[in-house]
Amino acid sequence: SEFVPLDLPPADAAGYLQDLTTAPEAEGQWRNLVAEIAAIRSGRGVDRIEGDQVTNAVFYFRHPLLEACDREVGFVCVNGEWRAEG
């Protein structure tokens, strides 16, 4: 559940977790999530980062696996732990 954004309502959080674990598309969802995390970590394809980068950060980047797919992914720091925003 560490990959579930904190700001999702319970039903959406359960659906998101199902998409990553048991749904037919789970393997592809994991592959995309891992690729996005790796791109953000390395900076590869990252166009810019907004936010104060202390309590929040929004990354704008090209998806590493999907052609012509621009992504915007936000993170917040809650009690010292960085988590995705829904």
Side-chain angles (χ1 to χ4, degrees), residues 48-78:
R48 69 184 185 280
I49 305 169
E50 294 181 354
D52 62 20
Q53 299 178 38
V54 174
T55 60
N56 63 58
V58 180
F59 292 82
Y60 297 85
F61 62 100
R62 288 185 321 273
H63 194 286
L65 302 178
L66 304 174
E67 191 171 326
C69 179
D70 293 327
R71 296 283 290 136
E72 173 184 331
V73 178
F75 296 91
V76 293
C77 187
V78 178

Side-chain angles (χ1 to χ4, degrees), residues 9-84:
D12 290 345
Y16 182 79
L17 191 57
Q18 181 180 4
D19 286 349
L20 291 175
T21 56
T22 60
E25 68 274 10
E27 185 176 327
Q29 292 288 354
W30 268 113
R31 187 173 29 254
N32 284 330
L33 181 61
V34 168
E36 288 185 355
I37 292 169
I40 290 170
R41 181 175 179 259
S42 72
R44 187 177 53 242
V46 175
D47 178 56
R48 69 184 185 280
I49 305 169
E50 294 181 354
D52 62 20
Q53 299 178 38
V54 174
T55 60
N56 63 58
V58 180
F59 292 82
Y60 297 85
F61 62 100
R62 288 185 321 273
H63 194 286
L65 302 178
L66 304 174
E67 191 171 326
C69 179
D70 293 327
R71 296 283 290 136
E72 173 184 331
V73 178
F75 296 91
V76 293
C77 187
V78 178
N79 298 323
E81 180 180 4
W82 283 94
R83 297 289 294 269

